[in-house]
Amino acid sequence: MPEIGIGLIGTGFMGKCHAMAFQNAASVFNTALRPRLTVVADIDEATVSNFAGQFGFGRWTTDWTDLINDPHVDIVAITTPNFLHKEMALAAIAAGKHVYCEKPLALTSEDALEMTQAAERAGVKTMVGYNYLKNPATALAREIIASGEIGDVVHFRGIHNEDYMGDPTVPHSWRCTRDRGGAGALGDIGSHIISIALYLAGDIRAVNAQMQTVIEARPDPASPGTSLSVENDDQTHAMVTFESGAMGTVECSRIAQGRKMHLAYEVTGTKGSIVFDQEQMNELHLFTAADQHRLGGFRRILIGPDHPHYGAFCPAPGHSLGFNDQKVIEVKCLLDGIDGDETALYPGFRAGYEIEKIIDAMIRSDAEQAWVQV
Amino acid sequence: MPEIGIGLIGTGFMGKCHAMAFQNAASVFNTALRPRLTVVADIDEATVSNFAGQFGFGRWTTDWTDLINDPHVDIVAITTPNFLHKEMALAAIAAGKHVYCEKPLALTSEDALEMTQAAERAGVKTMVGYNYLKNPATALAREIIASGEIGDVVHFRGIHNEDYMGDPTVPHSWRCTRDRGGAGALGDIGSHIISIALYLAGDIRAVNAQMQTVIEARPDPASPGTSLSVENDDQTHAMVTFESGAMGTVECSRIAQGRKMHLAYEVTGTKGSIVFDQEQMNELHLFTAADQHRLGGFRRILIGPDHPHYGAFCPAPGHSLGFNDQKVIEVKCLLDGIDGDETALYPGFRAGYEIEKIIDAMIRSDAEQAWVQV
Amino acid sequence: MPEIGIGLIGTGFMGKCHAMAFQNAASVFNTALRPRLTVVADIDEATVSNFAGQFGFGRWTTDWTDLINDPHVDIVAITTPNFLHKEMALAAIAAGKHVYCEKPLALTSEDALEMTQAAERAGVKTMVGYNYLKNPATALAREIIASGEIGDVVHFRGIHNEDYMGDPTVPHSWRCTRDRGGAGALGDIGSHIISIALYLAGDIRAVNAQMQTVIEARPDPASPGTSLSVENDDQTHAMVTFESGAMGTVECSRIAQGRKMHLAYEVTGTKGSIVFDQEQMNELHLFTAADQHRLGGFRRILIGPDHPHYGAFCPAPGHSLGFNDQKVIEVKCLLDGIDGDETALYPGFRAGYEIEKIIDAMIRSDAEQAWVQV
Amino acid sequence: MPEIGIGLIGTGFMGKCHAMAFQNAASVFNTALRPRLTVVADIDEATVSNFAGQFGFGRWTTDWTDLINDPHVDIVAITTPNFLHKEMALAAIAAGKHVYCEKPLALTSEDALEMTQAAERAGVKTMVGYNYLKNPATALAREIIASGEIGDVVHFRGIHNEDYMGDPTVPHSWRCTRDRGGAGALGDIGSHIISIALYLAGDIRAVNAQMQTVIEARPDPASPGTSLSVENDDQTHAMVTFESGAMGTVECSRIAQGRKMHLAYEVTGTKGSIVFDQEQMNELHLFTAADQHRLGGFRRILIGPDHPHYGAFCPAPGHSLGFNDQKVIEVKCLLDGIDGDETALYPGFRAGYEIEKIIDAMIRSDAEQAWVQV
């Protein structure tokens, strides 16, 4: 079977997640292309060498340009902090590699556009890691909407709330700076719920946002007893207008006490509604006009082999997929896309750029306190 | 024990609810003032006479001015369609009666202000029927917030979604007209969630709203085969800024398929969060910073005798109050207020007017597509 | 309209609940018979006189035999401790009164049979206060089962767990003694879930039980520092065989930490299932074989006016009934029954006796550690 | 790093699950021993050769004895139908291999004992695939109980209900026969909930069971239009007495309409309770006596890196593990056990035998309609 060489940059949370996904995609899905873990790069030698051993990479390097120039690498997977995405992706594209980049694609929509155009010119395939789109429950939601089962979408409410920075003693980091983190909650997790808004309800025409930094300074980890300003948003919400004419709201917070993975949405159509919460990621709740009777009500659909991708993991319904399984599906889509199925390559850089445009528009809207066209 | 005469105008859904509440408040709470069902008024003689018999009113009338002028009536309870509130309330005030008016107080904030000022000048007591404020769970939420248990409120998300007009064959009625219904979903149920926003997170300084009429025409019940335009909103949402600086969103819909009484809120503070849904009206979910540990998580508080008002209904926790019990609490507050406890008189006309101001500001904001100060 | 005189014995938790129910049944349901609160009896003069004033009884007495012999009393409502039911009921029957007795009917099935036969001989109407049978959700469950919607019932799991005696410092009382309380958790709350088992799955043929007293002694309230033995069960569970051949389990506990009103059941049929928990008493969860498809799942039915009795309280679905509303429905059934609708008189004394027989069989089964025919 | 050779027998649902788990355990947990997928066996050549390619096995065979005798195989993983476990395990033990056998260990407790003794004599390591024990939520439940947080366990209710044979047109198979499937629902899924009962509440002393075959015949797949008798139980429930003196119930069904993975338990202690449902496998609900206050209630613990094993998969809480991740943890335990950590080897064959003893006792109890000592 044809192998495809993987070069992975970054060995943190998402680096590990990528490595596992590449290990599993071929077995779970029996893909035509088989990933080969060729090389992994990170700046710390001890870390990267251990990581290479743990996951069975062919070799490791502390120089990511070395990885990119490795002729055995076909796909460059980028899981580094946000501010590094652009340089790495452009270099990989220049080297003719396919690029699989973690979200958010870039710090600004201008950068994202530059990356997108470079990839399109070079003819390389791209994927951005909006992995929650790969949850079978959300893929099912999209199918239900596309089928007309809930009529025309008239309202979308999307939320992605967590509390990982809810404690004011969580130290300052690159995530808190505009030039390295970009938007705060909005860039980090708001981008996820925007990706879902687009996936389920279509293009967004205009936005009207409010952003706030609630915890204005955080301890400087480099200098005990002092603190540094937080430069980006702890919480953001926005009204949005979809191209379809539907209304929506999008909301995100990194300080929402008690919320751990509360990526949730409610899609209201003229003939039904869909309700979802990623904290119970294996359930989709559906109500249709046909349920408007004495024994009707929201149906709790437990995800199973009748739904997208699940059956490859388990033949029995209700047994649950997990967070990492979403990434396996994402890698399968990437492999299928490189193997010729263009429709599988969603969201690619172009879609990632659309998300960044919306984020930029929200930032502008907040500054201007006004509606902004995307 | 001192009795107080009740004159009830209207025998529909809320008329019945008021009648039952007056019957029960004295027994449940052993109030000092005992309501006496003196007279009931409605336009249809058969209906009102039956109603009087069913609930044991002393007499009935088809002329509401007759009721208002009855010297044995001390409290005039108004449960008629929205467009009648103003005239009736002003007449009752002029007759020196206390007024208990269903929400929304009036069709516009100007009308509401006129009513408020008239009542204040006359020195009569007033109450507006925002009964969900009387749910012990929501009263508990307010106590928790006031105690500082969740720190400073930084975000409020409020929703009141139902689907009573989700079916496009539901006929046109006064509710669909601006001059008799006022705002649509916003006036009818959005007013409830605004009342809760104010109750839990304080005054609102500015709003930014979007409103939509999704089902643009409905069958004319008077003329089969023809339809009439719907003049007001099926769905509205808004961003709001509280005086405290907190951000919030408020959302309402009368076409949200599958939702029956989805009045729901999430209040996020710097040290905790509260989550509630009126469809499970006997539960409040609380997370505090102290729960941020290995065995912590949202606590599902089942309402019981430790919480406001519940113990008067039942000494055992978790046994559940119902919709009508909220109205009994509301009447108890009204009676206590008339008996001298001014703090019990919330929300009175002044508070009802504040809600109308916000509704008006939202309508203006939607028209101007801009932030509007309240 | 014809009035019917009520004599209420007992002014505690259930006494108050009865008084409110009699006050409301006529108004809520517009019943043909109108209850008149004639006389209330309790042993403490201050308590009973206050109670009479609070609820508007015509008079009060500290001598329950006086109440029973009052010619203006037509229905005797008994809400006293369990060990008093028999004597009072027999006296009321002897006086030709209808009897509305709180559950459990008696301390033993022999007593219950004696009471039942006396009532049947006298031709008076009876009702036993198994109020959870009157919850519209459970009435709906019965209708669904009767309609064949879930096929033949093959399994029933019933639970009634609370924690009102979970704290070992809760003092000893008559509830802890066999001669005054009868069975412990089994008599007090297990009787409720047995009543539901019979209501939903039909007669029980045989039982096999285990009973335990977990907290073996409790503080003697009369003698600080000393304790008294607990003579009855803190927790009981049993396997049961229904006449239909279906299997079931029944379980109850008064020491189930965290459970407040966890009366819950799951009924499995050959073509569907029903799931319910009284802590969310306005919801019934239904799955049918027709839901066995890609978009199928348990439906969360929110109780509304399409379901039994709800519409008399509220015309809008999902607005919730409460604990006390169940009692109003029970009184309505009693009034209808006295007015000639025999089918409304469920559960009468005969049904109450059936429940006691099952409780007795469970006690015997536990003693013999064997299956016992009912 | 030291490698350990894996020989996998069976390529069905659990075969695939094992293969993935062996692929992942080393990377996820960075185990000292690294599994090498040496050889896979199954009877169909096309199937097994494809499988070998899909998962990267070194070679394949259609002769399982060949696999067992391969000197490069150190662990034999058995995922074949139940009736084959014994012969294969004994052969593997005889060849000096460690054995990792899917549950149930054997068709009878006698067989299970024989296998256990053979393994102990041979000194090989064993593990039985009761994978739900490896769910971090259930591991956390065990830690909570061991810590004394909920006091002494006084009651356990365990359920494992599914509906995979709820449709009477599901054809007959080896699962429906006593000599090849053993017990029905009890052996297949009841064994899981028994494994959890033992894990959380300790040894079981006596059982009292009821078993039923509800769908008595199923279509013969080999002979259209005819049917074959079902020889084992569709549903079983039992009362159990733990060595500790605690009471419990255990219940299982393969025909519970609507249930897909309803492995659920409630553990009641003298000072708290734990509630769990595998359909929401990333949540544990905990109530402790310390929650017995005005703001207390069941806490919904979202599983995260503070809980057993989760952190190896994901550093962020609430992101969810899935069904297959449990198997990865199981394999990690097996590898750790072979590497010298005996405590990790749970449940081994001895524990699997204890489960079979309880199943046998339940079958005997059902036949005798009496309590049976284990």
Side-chain angles (χ1 to χ4, degrees):
Chain A
M1 277 182 181
E3 290 202 332
I4 186 158
I6 309 301
L8 170 67
I9 316 180
T11 62
F13 172 8
M14 291 316 295
K16 185 168 180 180
C17 187
H18 275 232
M20 291 192 289
F22 279 114
Q23 272 188 326
N24 284 288
S27 345
V28 170
F29 287 104
N30 209 9
T31 53
L33 288 176
R34 320 295 291 186
R36 187 188 55 245
L37 297 179
T38 304
V39 49
V40 57
D42 208 329
I43 46 177
D44 182 67
E45 185 171 317
T47 302
V48 72
S49 61
N50 280 336
F51 190 94
Q54 182 172 355
F55 291 93
F57 279 83
R59 71 179 184 95
W60 54 266
T61 174
T62 56
D63 174 8
W64 62 266
T65 62
D66 164 32
L67 176 151
I68 279 174
N69 294 317
D70 187 324
H72 301 295
V73 166
D74 302 299
I75 298 173
V76 173
I78 302 171
T79 69
T80 51
N82 305 348
F83 61 91
L84 296 170
H85 292 181
K86 182 185 173 187
E87 181 184 8
M88 291 172 173
L90 289 177
I93 291 166
K97 313 296 190 186
H98 305 301
V99 187
Y100 176 27
C101 185
E102 262 314 300
K103 47 61 56 185
L105 184 52
L107 296 184
T108 66
S109 62
E110 288 76 11
D111 286 353
L113 179 60
E114 186 181 340
M115 294 158 75
T116 300
Q117 291 174 334
E120 289 175 355
R121 271 195 307 266
V124 300
K125 313 293 194 199
T126 57
M127 179 77 88
V128 189
Y130 284 106
N131 45 294
Y132 301 112
L133 300 182
K134 305 308 180 189
N135 181 343
T138 292
L140 176 62
R142 183 171 154 100
E143 288 185 6
I144 291 171
I145 294 166
S147 74
E149 185 87 15
I150 64 164
D152 297 324
V153 171
V154 297
H155 199 273
F156 174 88
R157 183 193 323 115
I159 300 163
H160 192 157
N161 282 359
E162 303 193 7
D163 68 359
Y164 57 91
M165 293 182 73
D167 182 343
T169 68
V170 170
H172 201 275
S173 75
W174 62 265
R175 288 194 180 281
C176 305
T177 65
R178 284 205 178 256
D179 64 342
R180 312 194 94 192
L186 178 57
D188 196 23
I189 55 180
S191 54
H192 279 302
I193 193 62
I194 292 170
S195 78
I196 285 176
L198 298 172
Y199 187 61
L200 297 183
D203 288 344
I204 288 175
R205 179 199 298 162
V207 303
N208 200 332
Q210 269 190 299
M211 306 178 74
Q212 259 186 4
T213 308
V214 171
I215 300 171
E216 297 182 339
R218 290 183 179 274
D220 180 353
S223 173
T226 68
S227 64
L228 293 169
S229 282
V230 176
E231 300 170 0
N232 50 24
D233 56 300
D234 285 328
Q235 60 179 10
T236 289
H237 59 213
M239 302 188 295
V240 304
T241 304
F242 292 92
E243 288 292 349
S244 69
M247 292 165 36
T249 59
V250 163
E251 169 189 342
C252 59
S253 173
R254 61 190 183 192
I255 57 163
Q257 295 286 342
R259 296 303 195 176
K260 304 303 176 189
M261 177 26 81
H262 186 48
L263 183 160
Y265 54 80
E266 179 157 352
V267 186
T268 306
T270 49
K271 294 183 184 165
S273 298
I274 292 171
V275 176
F276 172 80
D277 181 352
Q278 181 79 16
E279 286 184 0
Q280 298 179 332
M281 62 174 276
N282 289 278
E283 298 181 16
L284 194 73
H285 299 262
L286 172 67
F287 184 93
T288 70
D291 295 307
Q292 205 71 267
H293 61 85
R294 184 166 162 277
L295 300 183
F298 272 93
R299 280 174 262 157
R300 175 185 177 237
I301 305 172
L302 284 176
I303 301 304
D306 288 347
H307 307 124
H309 304 305
Y310 179 100
F313 294 89
C314 178
H319 282 48
S320 296
L321 299 195
F323 173 81
N324 289 327
D325 296 327
Q326 299 173 131
K327 214 72 189 175
V328 175
I329 298 170
E330 193 171 83
V331 164
K332 173 242 197 299
C333 291
L334 172 63
L335 295 175
D336 286 354
I338 291 172
D339 199 38
D341 177 7
E342 288 286 336
T343 66
L345 282 176
Y346 186 86
F349 276 18
R350 173 73 44 190
Y353 160 61
E354 296 296 332
I355 295 168
E356 295 307 320
K357 276 206 299 183
I358 291 164
I359 291 174
D360 275 10
M362 287 182 179
I363 293 171
R364 215 157 65 239
S365 164
D366 175 58
E368 300 174 5
Q369 294 280 295
W371 279 97
V372 166
Q373 303 298 310
V374 176
Chain B
M1 278 182 181
E3 291 202 331
I4 186 159
I6 309 301
L8 171 66
I9 315 180
T11 62
F13 173 8
M14 292 314 295
K16 185 168 179 180
C17 187
H18 275 232
M20 291 192 289
F22 279 114
Q23 273 188 328
N24 283 290
S27 341
V28 170
F29 287 103
N30 208 8
T31 53
L33 287 176
R34 319 296 291 186
R36 187 187 57 244
L37 296 178
T38 304
V39 50
V40 58
D42 208 330
I43 47 177
D44 182 68
E45 185 171 316
T47 302
V48 72
S49 61
N50 281 336
F51 190 94
Q54 182 172 354
F55 291 92
F57 279 83
R59 70 178 184 96
W60 54 266
T61 174
T62 56
D63 173 7
W64 63 266
T65 62
D66 165 33
L67 176 149
I68 279 174
N69 294 317
D70 186 324
H72 301 295
V73 166
D74 302 299
I75 298 173
V76 173
I78 302 172
T79 69
T80 51
N82 305 348
F83 61 91
L84 296 170
H85 293 181
K86 181 185 175 188
E87 181 183 8
M88 290 172 173
L90 290 177
I93 291 165
K97 311 297 189 185
H98 305 301
V99 187
Y100 176 26
C101 185
E102 262 314 300
K103 47 58 59 184
L105 184 51
L107 296 185
T108 66
S109 63
E110 289 76 11
D111 286 353
L113 179 59
E114 186 181 341
M115 294 158 75
T116 302
Q117 291 174 332
E120 289 175 354
R121 272 194 307 268
V124 299
K125 313 294 195 199
T126 58
M127 178 77 88
V128 189
Y130 284 106
N131 44 293
Y132 301 112
L133 300 182
K134 305 308 180 190
N135 181 344
T138 292
L140 176 62
R142 182 171 154 100
E143 287 185 5
I144 291 171
I145 294 166
S147 75
E149 185 87 13
I150 65 164
D152 296 325
V153 171
V154 297
H155 199 274
F156 174 88
R157 182 193 324 115
I159 300 164
H160 191 156
N161 283 359
E162 303 193 7
D163 67 1
Y164 57 90
M165 293 182 75
D167 182 342
T169 68
V170 170
H172 200 275
S173 75
W174 62 266
R175 289 194 179 281
C176 305
T177 65
R178 284 204 177 257
D179 64 341
R180 312 194 95 192
L186 179 58
D188 196 22
I189 54 180
S191 55
H192 279 302
I193 193 62
I194 292 169
S195 79
I196 286 176
L198 298 171
Y199 188 60
L200 297 182
D203 288 344
I204 289 175
R205 180 200 298 162
V207 303
N208 199 333
Q210 268 190 300
M211 306 178 74
Q212 258 186 5
T213 307
V214 171
I215 300 172
E216 297 183 339
R218 291 182 179 274
D220 180 354
S223 174
T226 67
S227 64
L228 294 168
S229 282
V230 175
E231 301 170 359
N232 50 25
D233 56 300
D234 285 328
Q235 60 179 9
T236 289
H237 59 214
M239 303 189 293
V240 304
T241 304
F242 292 92
E243 288 292 349
S244 69
M247 291 165 36
T249 58
V250 163
E251 169 189 342
C252 59
S253 173
R254 61 189 182 192
I255 58 161
Q257 294 287 341
R259 297 301 197 177
K260 304 304 177 189
M261 176 29 79
H262 185 49
L263 183 159
Y265 53 80
E266 179 157 352
V267 187
T268 307
T270 49
K271 294 184 184 164
S273 298
I274 292 171
V275 175
F276 171 81
D277 181 353
Q278 180 79 15
E279 286 185 359
Q280 299 179 330
M281 62 174 275
N282 290 277
E283 298 181 15
L284 195 72
H285 299 262
L286 172 67
F287 184 93
T288 70
D291 295 308
Q292 206 70 267
H293 62 84
R294 183 166 161 277
L295 300 183
F298 271 94
R299 280 174 262 157
R300 176 186 176 235
I301 305 172
L302 284 175
I303 301 303
D306 288 346
H307 307 125
H309 303 306
Y310 178 100
F313 294 88
C314 179
H319 282 48
S320 296
L321 299 195
F323 173 81
N324 288 327
D325 296 326
Q326 299 172 133
K327 215 70 189 176
V328 175
I329 298 170
E330 192 171 83
V331 164
K332 175 244 198 296
C333 291
L334 172 63
L335 297 174
D336 286 355
I338 291 172
D339 200 37
D341 176 7
E342 288 285 337
T343 66
L345 283 175
Y346 186 87
F349 276 19
R350 171 84 30 200
Y353 160 61
E354 296 296 333
I355 295 168
E356 295 307 319
K357 276 206 300 184
I358 291 165
I359 291 174
D360 275 10
M362 287 183 179
I363 293 172
R364 217 157 64 238
S365 164
D366 175 58
E368 301 174 4
Q369 294 280 295
W371 280 96
V372 166
Q373 302 299 309
V374 175
Chain C
M1 278 181 179
E3 289 201 332
I4 186 160
I6 309 301
L8 170 66
I9 315 180
T11 62
F13 172 9
M14 292 315 295
K16 185 168 180 181
C17 187
H18 275 233
M20 290 192 289
F22 280 114
Q23 273 188 327
N24 283 290
S27 343
V28 170
F29 288 104
N30 207 8
T31 53
L33 287 176
R34 320 295 291 186
R36 189 187 55 246
L37 297 179
T38 305
V39 49
V40 57
D42 207 329
I43 46 175
D44 182 67
E45 187 171 316
T47 302
V48 73
S49 61
N50 281 337
F51 189 95
Q54 181 172 356
F55 292 93
F57 279 83
R59 70 179 185 93
W60 54 266
T61 173
T62 57
D63 173 8
W64 62 265
T65 61
D66 165 33
L67 176 151
I68 279 174
N69 294 317
D70 187 324
H72 301 295
V73 166
D74 302 300
I75 298 173
V76 173
I78 302 171
T79 69
T80 51
N82 306 348
F83 60 91
L84 296 170
H85 292 180
K86 182 186 175 186
E87 181 184 7
M88 290 172 172
L90 290 177
I93 291 164
K97 313 296 189 186
H98 306 301
V99 187
Y100 176 26
C101 185
E102 262 314 300
K103 45 62 56 185
L105 184 51
L107 296 184
T108 66
S109 63
E110 289 76 13
D111 286 354
L113 179 58
E114 186 181 340
M115 294 157 75
T116 302
Q117 291 173 333
E120 289 174 355
R121 271 194 308 267
V124 300
K125 314 294 195 199
T126 58
M127 179 77 88
V128 189
Y130 284 105
N131 44 293
Y132 301 112
L133 300 182
K134 305 308 180 190
N135 182 342
T138 292
L140 176 62
R142 183 172 154 100
E143 287 185 8
I144 291 171
I145 294 166
S147 74
E149 185 88 15
I150 65 164
D152 297 325
V153 171
V154 297
H155 198 273
F156 174 88
R157 183 194 322 116
I159 300 163
H160 192 156
N161 282 359
E162 303 193 8
D163 68 0
Y164 58 91
M165 293 182 75
D167 181 343
T169 68
V170 169
H172 201 275
S173 75
W174 62 265
R175 289 194 179 279
C176 304
T177 65
R178 284 203 178 259
D179 63 342
R180 313 194 94 190
L186 179 57
D188 196 23
I189 54 180
S191 55
H192 278 302
I193 193 62
I194 292 170
S195 77
I196 285 176
L198 298 171
Y199 187 61
L200 297 183
D203 287 345
I204 289 174
R205 180 200 297 162
V207 303
N208 200 334
Q210 269 190 299
M211 306 178 75
Q212 259 186 3
T213 308
V214 171
I215 300 171
E216 297 182 339
R218 290 182 179 274
D220 180 354
S223 173
T226 69
S227 64
L228 293 169
S229 283
V230 175
E231 299 170 0
N232 51 24
D233 56 300
D234 285 327
Q235 61 179 9
T236 288
H237 58 213
M239 302 188 295
V240 304
T241 305
F242 292 93
E243 287 292 349
S244 68
M247 291 165 35
T249 58
V250 163
E251 169 189 342
C252 58
S253 173
R254 61 189 182 193
I255 58 163
Q257 294 287 342
R259 296 302 196 176
K260 303 303 176 189
M261 176 29 79
H262 186 49
L263 184 160
Y265 54 80
E266 179 157 353
V267 186
T268 307
T270 49
K271 295 183 184 163
S273 297
I274 292 171
V275 176
F276 171 80
D277 181 352
Q278 180 79 17
E279 286 184 359
Q280 299 178 331
M281 63 174 276
N282 289 279
E283 297 181 16
L284 195 72
H285 299 262
L286 172 66
F287 183 94
T288 70
D291 296 308
Q292 207 69 267
H293 62 84
R294 183 165 162 278
L295 300 184
F298 272 94
R299 280 174 264 158
R300 176 185 176 236
I301 305 171
L302 285 176
I303 301 304
D306 288 347
H307 307 125
H309 303 307
Y310 179 99
F313 294 89
C314 178
H319 282 47
S320 295
L321 299 194
F323 174 80
N324 288 327
D325 296 327
Q326 299 173 133
K327 215 71 190 176
V328 175
I329 298 170
E330 192 171 84
V331 164
K332 175 244 199 295
C333 291
L334 173 63
L335 296 175
D336 286 354
I338 291 172
D339 199 39
D341 176 7
E342 288 286 335
T343 66
L345 284 174
Y346 186 86
F349 276 19
R350 171 80 35 197
Y353 160 61
E354 296 297 332
I355 294 167
E356 295 307 319
K357 277 207 300 185
I358 291 164
I359 291 173
D360 275 11
M362 286 183 179
I363 294 171
R364 218 158 62 239
S365 165
D366 175 59
E368 299 174 6
Q369 294 280 295
W371 280 96
V372 165
Q373 303 298 310
V374 175
Chain D
M1 278 180 181
E3 290 201 333
I4 186 159
I6 308 301
L8 170 66
I9 315 180
T11 61
F13 172 8
M14 292 315 295
K16 184 167 180 180
C17 187
H18 275 232
M20 291 192 289
F22 279 114
Q23 274 188 326
N24 283 290
S27 343
V28 170
F29 287 103
N30 208 7
T31 53
L33 287 176
R34 319 295 292 186
R36 188 186 56 244
L37 297 179
T38 305
V39 50
V40 58
D42 208 328
I43 46 178
D44 182 68
E45 186 171 316
T47 302
V48 72
S49 61
N50 280 337
F51 190 94
Q54 182 172 356
F55 291 93
F57 278 83
R59 70 178 185 95
W60 53 266
T61 173
T62 56
D63 174 7
W64 64 266
T65 61
D66 165 32
L67 176 151
I68 279 174
N69 293 318
D70 187 324
H72 301 296
V73 166
D74 302 300
I75 299 172
V76 173
I78 302 171
T79 69
T80 51
N82 305 348
F83 60 91
L84 296 169
H85 292 181
K86 182 186 175 186
E87 182 183 7
M88 291 172 172
L90 290 176
I93 292 165
K97 312 295 189 186
H98 305 302
V99 187
Y100 176 27
C101 185
E102 263 312 300
K103 46 60 57 184
L105 184 51
L107 296 183
T108 66
S109 64
E110 288 76 12
D111 286 354
L113 179 59
E114 187 181 339
M115 294 157 76
T116 301
Q117 291 173 333
E120 289 174 354
R121 271 195 308 266
V124 300
K125 313 293 195 199
T126 57
M127 179 78 87
V128 189
Y130 285 106
N131 45 294
Y132 301 112
L133 300 182
K134 304 309 179 190
N135 181 343
T138 292
L140 175 62
R142 184 171 152 101
E143 288 185 5
I144 291 171
I145 294 166
S147 75
E149 184 88 13
I150 64 163
D152 296 325
V153 171
V154 298
H155 198 273
F156 174 87
R157 183 194 323 115
I159 300 164
H160 192 157
N161 282 359
E162 303 193 6
D163 68 359
Y164 58 90
M165 293 182 74
D167 182 342
T169 68
V170 170
H172 200 276
S173 75
W174 62 265
R175 288 194 180 281
C176 304
T177 66
R178 284 206 177 257
D179 63 343
R180 312 194 93 193
L186 179 56
D188 197 24
I189 54 179
S191 55
H192 279 302
I193 192 63
I194 292 170
S195 77
I196 286 177
L198 298 172
Y199 187 60
L200 297 183
D203 288 344
I204 289 174
R205 180 200 298 162
V207 302
N208 200 334
Q210 269 190 299
M211 306 178 74
Q212 259 185 5
T213 308
V214 171
I215 300 171
E216 297 182 340
R218 291 183 178 273
D220 181 354
S223 173
T226 68
S227 65
L228 293 169
S229 283
V230 175
E231 300 171 0
N232 50 24
D233 56 300
D234 286 326
Q235 61 179 9
T236 288
H237 59 213
M239 302 188 295
V240 304
T241 304
F242 292 92
E243 287 293 348
S244 69
M247 293 165 35
T249 59
V250 163
E251 170 189 342
C252 59
S253 173
R254 61 190 182 191
I255 57 163
Q257 295 287 342
R259 297 302 196 179
K260 303 303 175 189
M261 178 27 81
H262 187 48
L263 183 159
Y265 54 80
E266 178 157 352
V267 187
T268 307
T270 49
K271 294 182 183 164
S273 297
I274 291 171
V275 175
F276 172 80
D277 182 352
Q278 181 77 18
E279 286 184 1
Q280 299 179 330
M281 61 174 277
N282 288 279
E283 298 181 15
L284 194 72
H285 299 261
L286 172 67
F287 183 94
T288 71
D291 296 307
Q292 206 70 265
H293 62 85
R294 184 165 163 279
L295 300 183
F298 272 94
R299 279 174 264 157
R300 176 185 176 238
I301 306 172
L302 284 176
I303 300 304
D306 288 346
H307 308 125
H309 303 305
Y310 179 99
F313 294 89
C314 178
H319 282 47
S320 296
L321 299 194
F323 174 80
N324 289 327
D325 296 327
Q326 299 174 132
K327 214 72 189 174
V328 175
I329 299 171
E330 193 172 83
V331 165
K332 176 245 198 294
C333 292
L334 173 63
L335 296 175
D336 286 354
I338 290 172
D339 199 38
D341 177 6
E342 288 286 335
T343 65
L345 283 175
Y346 185 86
F349 276 18
R350 173 75 42 192
Y353 160 62
E354 295 297 332
I355 294 167
E356 296 307 319
K357 276 206 300 184
I358 291 164
I359 291 173
D360 275 11
M362 286 183 180
I363 294 171
R364 217 157 64 240
S365 164
D366 174 59
E368 299 173 4
Q369 293 281 295
W371 280 96
V372 166
Q373 303 298 310
V374 176

